[in-house]
Amino acid sequence: MTQHTSRFTRAQLFVTCLVDTFFPSVGNAVVNVLANQGVKSRVPDKQTCCGQPAFNAGLWNDARAMARHTIDIFSDDESPVVVPSGSCADMVVHQYPVLLKDDLYLKKAENLANRTFEFSQFLVDKLDVDDVGAQCGGCVAYHACCHGLRGLGIDPQPKKLLKHIKGITQRSLSDAESCCGFGGLFAIKMSDISGAILQRKLDDIEASGANIIVATDVSCLMHIEGGLRRRDKRIRTMHLAEILASSSDNQSCEARTELKDRTVT
């Protein structure tokens, strides 16, 4: 495991709605991985949705209210904010300043944007860590999530972290940077198109030979896992934080995912 001296010893965790409601193990994994790097996590109370669904639906006044609330929650502490989601991180980093450009909260929004980081981005770019000492078994393929990839430029960071996990075999996905079809409200409003995009992604996953799909957003993983279950495939999904939190305990990544109770139908 590679450890580096960092000026960051504390961070705040923006849990996100889906992690809080359906995937709390991801939040725990983030806290554990950061703790192993000497970073103590604080999880502020009263945090809620980042406002992206309202923003994407055109309900900008509602989105502004949620943005101001989030800014207030994370402004009591000037430590960096770590988000286990490129989608929500992109909302804070890029859309809060847009939403609040004519608002008294603009400077606060810019301040929060400047110290908000997606999880893998924080580890690699800010802590200068690419090996967290993780060890698992299984054939792993990485799915690049759209908001993180295109909005935040998150591409080398997860790959560097996965490269140093002992015991895994990596597989590549064809058309690896294509969308899984989720897209938040898009999957609801345009379900037929969303489903068609998903089927193409599932075909690529099956062809890869991987038995574990890793991504940085649980929203994409939830969508992909739902499709895999409907195909009756035993390919499992893991958030990057979960696989990085794995250690040498004679239990493979594949076995860990078997134990999860994911509420996907």
Side-chain angles (χ1 to χ4, degrees), residues 5-21:
T5 302
S6 170
R7 63 188 177 90
F8 298 110
T9 57
R10 297 170 61 251
Q12 300 182 84
L13 176 60
F14 190 175
V15 179
T16 81
C17 297
L18 288 178
V19 169
D20 181 50
T21 305

Side-chain angles (χ1 to χ4, degrees), residues 192-259:
D192 289 344
I193 298 175
S194 171
I197 295 171
L198 174 62
Q199 295 311 309
R200 184 173 61 187
K201 177 62 66 174
L202 296 178
D203 290 342
D204 291 341
I205 288 172
E206 288 190 48
S208 73
N211 57 18
I212 302 170
I213 303 302
V214 172
T216 56
D217 277 66
V218 295
S219 54
C220 298
L221 291 172
M222 182 172 63
H223 191 55
I224 290 170
E225 185 169 338
L228 289 170
R229 286 192 181 189
R230 284 187 285 273
R231 288 191 178 192
D232 197 27
K233 299 298 178 182
R234 294 180 63 81
I235 303 170
R236 301 301 180 183
T237 63
M238 293 186 79
H239 189 279
L240 179 67
E242 293 176 300
I243 196 167
L244 292 179
S246 300
S247 60
S248 178
D249 62 357
N250 298 318
Q251 192 174 25
S252 70
C253 294
E254 184 177 10
R256 289 174 183 277
T257 54
E258 290 284 355
L259 296 175

Side-chain angles (χ1 to χ4, degrees), residues 89-255:
D90 180 72
M91 180 67 188
V92 175
V93 171
H94 290 135
Q95 306 308 334
Y96 277 15
V98 172
L99 273 173
L100 301 169
K101 65 179 181 178
D102 298 317
D103 195 284
L104 293 174
Y105 269 70
L106 176 58
K107 288 187 177 180
K108 290 183 178 181
E110 292 173 337
N111 174 278
L112 180 59
N114 289 333
R115 55 188 175 86
T116 295
F117 308 96
E118 183 274 334
F119 172 63
S120 70
Q121 186 183 44
F122 184 67
L123 282 175
V124 175
D125 297 345
K126 296 301 172 182
L127 298 187
D128 194 27
V129 170
D130 53 22
D131 183 353
V132 301
Q135 183 167 340
C136 296
C139 293
V140 175
Y142 170 67
H143 166 68
C145 302
C146 291
H147 278 95
L149 176 65
R150 295 169 177 83
L152 298 174
I154 295 168
D155 181 53
Q157 299 94 331
K159 294 175 181 177
K160 286 182 179 179
L161 292 161
L162 286 170
K163 181 181 178 180
H164 289 89
I165 297 176
K166 296 177 178 64
I168 66 169
T169 301
Q170 292 202 56
R171 296 283 188 262
S172 297
L173 295 180
S174 298
D175 200 13
E177 295 183 359
S178 66
C179 180
C180 71
F182 181 67
L185 292 179
F186 170 77
I188 299 172
K189 291 186 173 182
M190 300 184 179
S191 58
D192 289 344
I193 298 175
S194 171
I197 295 171
L198 174 62
Q199 295 311 309
R200 184 173 61 187
K201 177 62 66 174
L202 296 178
D203 290 342
D204 291 341
I205 288 172
E206 288 190 48
S208 73
N211 57 18
I212 302 170
I213 303 302
V214 172
T216 56
D217 277 66
V218 295
S219 54
C220 298
L221 291 172
M222 182 172 63
H223 191 55
I224 290 170
E225 185 169 338
L228 289 170
R229 286 192 181 189
R230 284 187 285 273
R231 288 191 178 192
D232 197 27
K233 299 298 178 182
R234 294 180 63 81
I235 303 170
R236 301 301 180 183
T237 63
M238 293 186 79
H239 189 279
L240 179 67
E242 293 176 300
I243 196 167
L244 292 179
S246 300
S247 60
S248 178
D249 62 357
N250 298 318
Q251 192 174 25
S252 70
C253 294
E254 184 177 10

